[in-house]
Amino acid sequence: MTDTTQAATWLTQEAYDRLKAELEHLEGPGRAEVTERIAAARDEGDLKENGGYHAAREEQAKQEARIRELKEKLRNVQIGTPPDDGVVEPGMVVTAEVAGDEMVFLLGSREIAGSADIEVFSPTSPLGASIMGRKVGDTVTYTAPNGREIPVEVKDAKPFVG
């Protein structure tokens, strides 16, 4: 039996507002603009050799994919910051010693970070998955894509505040 529940995505209010506004634009004016360009290109005639038509259709496909991605991200969201309890989870800025080097990064998605200049690791990446749920002081290892075992010690975990 597999667990189909998804952990909540932590977003700052600013990140939530930005993603919500992008979704509203894409579903409204954005869709209308692409539809108009497709119709205008279609009116030019032969669709097989109509670069404008094919470009507009490709843009439409990318836009619809982004709409699905945003809806998924916003489906199970918690606004604010995770609890400051030293437990590594999405939305936390983690300080860790990775293979002897200190790293500071956000565990979560690039959407959370917005324009902040911080490295981001997904909770499903090898590093992210290995430290998920760990506490300050815990030491774990993870298998890097090249097959090497990499030691990681969690030094600090604080909520990302933007």
Side-chain angles (χ1 to χ4, degrees):
M1 184 167 161
T2 58
D3 182 16
T4 57
T5 60
Q6 178 188 7
T9 301
W10 285 96
L11 292 177
T12 61
Q13 185 66 52
E14 181 273 332
Y16 176 81
D17 293 345
R18 183 172 27 86
L19 295 178
K20 192 77 169 151
E22 180 184 355
L23 178 61
E24 288 170 4
H25 171 77
L26 291 175
E27 287 184 318
R31 270 189 179 146
E33 290 168 15
V34 172
T35 302
E36 287 172 18
R37 284 210 303 280
I38 290 171
R42 186 180 291 131
D43 291 343
E44 292 175 9
D46 186 9
L47 296 181
K48 286 187 285 192
E49 296 181 17
N50 187 329
Y53 173 78
H54 294 290
R57 289 300 304 255
E58 187 174 317
E59 184 178 339
Q60 181 184 42
K62 287 179 183 177
Q63 184 172 306
E64 292 301 319
R66 179 65 176 160
I67 288 170
R68 285 189 302 276
E69 177 186 10
L70 288 170
K71 282 183 173 180
E72 184 60 33
K73 283 185 178 177
L74 295 172
R75 178 172 290 129
N76 189 19
V77 71
Q78 287 191 299
I79 298 171
T81 56
D84 189 0
D85 55 7
V87 175
V88 177
E89 61 186 311
M92 300 294 273
V93 174
V94 178
T95 303
E97 189 173 302
V98 181
D101 295 325
E102 185 169 282
M103 294 177 62
V104 177
F105 56 91
L106 171 65
L107 187 66
S109 74
R110 170 71 17 220
E111 307 292 357
I112 298 169
S115 60
D117 186 24
I118 187 167
E119 193 166 10
V120 179
F121 282 89
S122 166
T124 59
S125 69
L127 173 59
S130 72
I131 62 172
M132 189 70 159
R134 303 294 181 167
K135 293 183 169 86
V136 172
D138 286 355
T139 301
V140 297
T141 61
Y142 74 94
T143 305
N146 65 7
R148 287 185 40 221
E149 288 295 313
I150 309 289
V152 180
E153 181 182 352
V154 178
K155 299 283 194 178
D156 195 23
K158 297 282 183 206
F160 177 75
V161 290

